[in-house]
Structures are given as structure tokens and as C-alpha cells.
Amino acid sequence: MSKELKELTREEVQQHNKDGDLWVIIDAKVYDLSRFANLHPGGKAVLADADVAGQDATEAFYGLHRHEVLERPQYARLQVGVLRGARSVITGRIVGGLSAVPYAEPTWLAKGFHSPYYTENHRALQKAARQFFDEVVYPDAQERELDGKRPSQEVLDKMAEVNLHAMRLGPGKHLKGLSLFNGLVKPEEYDYFHELIVTQEFVRVGARGYADGLLGGKVIGLPPVLNFGSKEIKEKVVADVLAAKKFICLAISEAHAGSDVLGMKTTAVKSEDGKYWIINGEKKWITNGHFADYFTTGCKTEDGLTVILIPRQEGVNTKPIKTSYSPTAGTALVTFDNVRVPVENTLGPEGGGIFVILSNFNHERWVMIAASARSQRLIVEECLKWVSQRKAFGKPLSSQAVIRGKLAEMIARAEAVQAWLENVTYQMCNMSYKEQATKLAGQIAFLKMYSTRCAQDTARDAVQIFGGRGITQTGMGRFVEHYHRTIPFDALLGGAEDVLGDLGVRQAMRAMPKNSRL
């Protein structure tokens, strides 16, 4: 039962302005901080200031704290009344709602704007997905990003109930017969714009390590099984992975082979009877590797490069790698010591592993671009809010031309990346898989390079706007600090920027007309 709040005048509040009897007004709400003052993380003196004690401290509060502080139970209970003749106007994070902050949402979701790409079904999915991620995923993301534990099984199970794990893999036969978001989308109508929506709504949790931890390994590790695995392998593996009962990862990178896939040293040699692969070597920086049950692994074989599905078993060992984002991602060093795997676990033809790996890259990179585009917009929203409430030299931070200049560049980058991304997505929806491989590999490579470079510029500008708060892991700038610290992941995973740029140019040169001259 909630306590009854008194209606108080400013004069009544002003009487409570001393040590042991200290009230403040924040957004037309009156808080009794008498006992809390000694526990205040910033010290009692801040609250005892003549401009705070017994006064309207709204501006002072929002110059130092996020609104979510007032929503925490231990602080919400300090409210004793409301200000007579006034009403609260500041709202926090609205679960399932769209942000009214300019450029906080992609154009197709902004009031009064239109798009040729999205149908009413896309909009219905977006609404349902936002509600789901805000209610179910966001709270777990904030906790796991901090404590480093694996994403909660309860969250994974709830995602499985609406088949979100399957939806994150894009359109395809794996959706046949499934109920997507309780029947909201028909499997045969699910397209890349639906997947784009799911990916971008997920990114809004603002926790980079958790984003990968929530089965990021499945998004890149399961497609080779779906596309190249035998019927028996798929029957054994796919259903359990999509139900989050088993976990899978992609094990390609090594200490000696990153973008240089052909330089890998992990070997697979057949047993004397030819029934087993005997695998030795190690893989590094493997997302979800620490808790994976299956490893989609690139190996050097007699015929070249071969991809093999390796179950966790004797001889398979994983060790967490400490990186600049949360251990919740399960990033691991994976070692294989004389691991015996049936040859039936081969994915694709022996020696044809490079095709299996490359066939996965376009979609993998497209997903990363989608995430990068949405995360940039989150930072734009954080910065627009901050410059509106932060005062410097007696004026709002937004009055500084240099700050407006940084914001202009951040907004322009976010809009450009999203527009290019939607164009590429439209092409994906209207091209066969073979056409995508030949026509979009360069486009996607260029876009990923451009997107992650934009993201790094935005991260740097955001830190300059937030100042010291932008390098502090708690408080006002925590999302900016987190973004700046983890943004290099996007620039490296799926191929380093320079490698991708070179790939795009080489593809363009191969397509040059023989008779073209200046």
C-alpha cells in the first residue's frame, strides 16, 4: 500500500533547510533527505548548500544525476509530498515507448515522417519487439553487463517462446512451422527488414558485452550448420540451439590468423579408418566460446580448409579472455587436444571451407552494421539530452557553437549510415542469395567500414561533450563511457576496417568494363 503524499507549499518546504531536517523539491516532488544526507555519495555538504536545502533543486539534481535514480525504490520512498499548484513534467524511460528526442529514432519511426521500406506488419513487430526488449531483456542486460555472468536462462527461455532466436538468423527455411512473436509475423513473410527491426530493437539495451553474450555466437555459428550440415546433424543440433537449450559459437580466429582466414593453424587429420577427424589447435577471441556446447570450427586439412562441427567433449577446453567489454559475452580461448569428431560432422565439402566461411560473412557483417547504426543513435540521444540540461558558463551547453558542431556531425553520420543500411537491406530482400554474394559483398564491406569509423568518431565526440562523466562507468555518462570503451569491437569483428575497404575496392576493380577509358 503506497503512502499518502502531502500537498505542500514552497514556503513549507523552505522551513526544512538545516542538518537533520532537510527537504528538497525535484520536479514538483518533495523529498525528505534528513536521514539520507549522511549517506549521500557526494557528501552532506552538497545537500546543505543554501541553493539546495529547502529549495527547488531540480536543475542541480539533473546536472548531476540521471532520472533513473529517482525511480529506484530506496530513493523513491524518500518522497513525502508534492508541490502545490505544480506538476511533474520530467519522465524517465517509457517501457515500450518511442522517444520524442529529435533523431533518437530512425526516420521511419519519427512522427510525421514516411518510408517506402516498412509495412504495417513491420511496424507491428517493432512495437511488440520494443515492449519485449524493454520489459524482459533490458533489466537483465544492465545487471549481467556489470556482474559478468552469462545472460539469464529465464530471458533466453522467454525469447525462445516467441522464437526470437530463430528470427535473429533472418529469413529462411529454419522458420518454417514456427509461430513468430505469437503469430504476429508469418514465417513465409518474414524478411530482412523484420530482422533489421529485431536487431536494432535489441541494441537499445545499451550493453555491448551482453549483446554478444545473448547468443551472438549462434547468429554466426549456426548458419553454416543450417546451410551445409547433413540432415542428421541438423536434426540433432538446430532445434536445441533455437530453443536455447544448447549453445553454439563460430571458431575461426586464431592468434596467428584473424582477417587472414587461410593462415589458420588448427589441423584436422583423418583417423586410419577414415571415420573420424582428429583435431588439434586453438582458437582465440571466440564469442560465447566459454559456455558453448558446439563449435563451428575452421580447420586446415589435406585438401585445404574444412569447417567441422565440434561438440564439447574430452579434449575441448575453454578459458575466458578478459577484454574491454563484459565477461557476459563468454569470449574465450578454445583449445582442441586430439579431439575425435565423426567425419559426418563436416559442414560442406572437404577442402571447401573457405566457401562455407565466406558465405556467412555478408549476413554477419550486415547484422553488425545494423547494430552499429542503432547504437550511434543511442549516443546521439544521450548527448542531446545532456546538452539541454547541463549548464556551463551560466548557459546551457547547447549554446556553445563547438558543441552544436559536434552534434551536427554525429546526427549526420547516424542518418547517413541508416539510410545506406536500409538501401542495402532492400536489395537483400530483392536479390537471390547468389546475387547477394556477387553484388553486395563490396557494398556491405564498404558500409561496415564506414559505419564503424563513424561510430568511433561519434564515441570520441560524445566523450568530449560529456567531459569527465564520459570516462566514468557510473552516473550521467555511463552509456557514453561504455560505448567509447567497447566501440573497437565493432571495428574489428567480422573483418578490420582496412581489410573490408580493400575487399570492396577489389570487387569494384573486377567489375570494371574492359572498354572503359577516360
Side-chain angles (χ1 to χ4, degrees), residues 338-389:
N338 288 321
V339 177
R340 294 171 66 88
V341 177
V343 293
E344 288 79 11
N345 282 31
T346 305
L347 303 178
E350 292 182 25
I354 190 64
F355 174 72
V356 175
I357 294 169
L358 292 179
S359 70
N360 207 35
F361 272 151
N362 273 358
H363 183 261
E364 175 186 350
R365 290 166 180 161
W366 175 83
V367 169
M368 292 176 181
I369 296 163
S372 174
R374 195 62 180 84
S375 62
Q376 289 178 56
R377 202 173 289 277
L378 277 175
I379 299 305
V380 168
E381 181 177 13
E382 289 285 301
C383 289
L384 285 171
K385 287 179 178 179
W386 176 241
V387 301
S388 298
Q389 66 193 68

Side-chain angles (χ1 to χ4, degrees), residues 24-42:
V24 297
I25 301 168
I26 301 175
D27 188 32
K29 298 176 182 178
V30 180
Y31 295 86
D32 182 353
L33 307 183
S34 304
R35 294 183 178 180
F36 170 72
N38 291 322
L39 304 174
H40 184 235

Side-chain angles (χ1 to χ4, degrees), residues 116 147 149 164 182 217 295 431 473 481 510:
D147 65 25
K149 296 178 181 178
L164 262 171
N182 300 315
F295 304 81
M431 287 183 183
Q473 293 188 12
E481 184 281 332
R510 281 198 293 270

Side-chain angles (χ1 to χ4, degrees), residues 370-445:
S372 174
R374 195 62 180 84
S375 62
Q376 289 178 56
R377 202 173 289 277
L378 277 175
I379 299 305
V380 168
E381 181 177 13
E382 289 285 301
C383 289
L384 285 171
K385 287 179 178 179
W386 176 241
V387 301
S388 298
Q389 66 193 68
R390 170 66 169 167
K391 291 282 186 72
F393 307 106
K395 298 179 180 179
L397 203 55
S398 59
S399 68
Q400 305 293 325
V402 67
I403 297 297
R404 296 197 300 272
K406 290 184 184 299
L407 287 168
E409 300 242 357
M410 293 166 71
I411 292 168
R413 288 191 290 261
E415 291 293 323
V417 170
Q418 183 74 18
W420 191 354
L421 171 62
E422 289 179 349
N423 179 287
V424 168
T425 305
Y426 182 76
Q427 306 310 319
M428 291 169 65
C429 288
N430 290 278
M431 287 183 183
S432 66
Y433 196 79
K434 186 176 181 180
E435 284 180 305
Q436 290 181 38
T438 56
K439 295 181 179 180
L440 292 183
Q443 281 264 332
I444 291 173

Side-chain angles (χ1 to χ4, degrees), residues 127-163:
K127 187 175 182 180
R130 178 157 301 189
Q131 189 77 26
F132 182 92
F133 284 117
D134 281 358
E135 287 183 350
V136 178
V137 181
Y138 181 84
D140 190 56
Q142 305 312 308
E143 292 179 12
R144 299 293 81 79
E145 189 73 25
L146 291 176
D147 65 25
K149 296 178 181 178
R150 200 178 78 185
S152 302
Q153 188 62 42
E154 181 183 2
V155 170
L156 295 171
D157 291 342
K158 287 183 178 179
M159 290 178 68
E161 287 175 10
V162 294
N163 285 303

Side-chain angles (χ1 to χ4, degrees), residues 46 69 72-73 115 130 175-176 178 198 219-220 252 270 294 309 336 363 507:
V46 176
V69 171
R72 295 174 188 166
S115 170
R130 178 157 301 189
L175 298 178
K176 187 177 180 180
L178 300 182
V198 169
V219 176
I220 56 179
I252 302 295
K270 281 188 177 177
Y294 298 104
L309 182 68
F336 304 107
H363 183 261
Q507 284 224 332

Side-chain angles (χ1 to χ4, degrees), residues 163-215:
N163 285 303
L164 262 171
H165 300 305
M167 295 169 74
R168 289 182 68 196
L169 296 175
K173 295 178 182 178
H174 63 285
L175 298 178
K176 187 177 180 180
L178 300 182
S179 173
L180 308 183
F181 249 108
N182 300 315
L184 186 62
V185 185
K186 295 179 181 178
E188 63 273 17
E189 295 177 358
Y190 188 84
D191 63 18
Y192 289 110
F193 279 103
H194 287 105
E195 185 189 0
L196 176 61
I197 290 166
V198 169
T199 300
Q200 295 202 321
E201 289 301 319
F202 176 31
V203 171
R204 292 180 62 259
V205 301
R208 186 63 182 81
Y210 183 89
D212 278 355
L214 202 67
L215 307 195

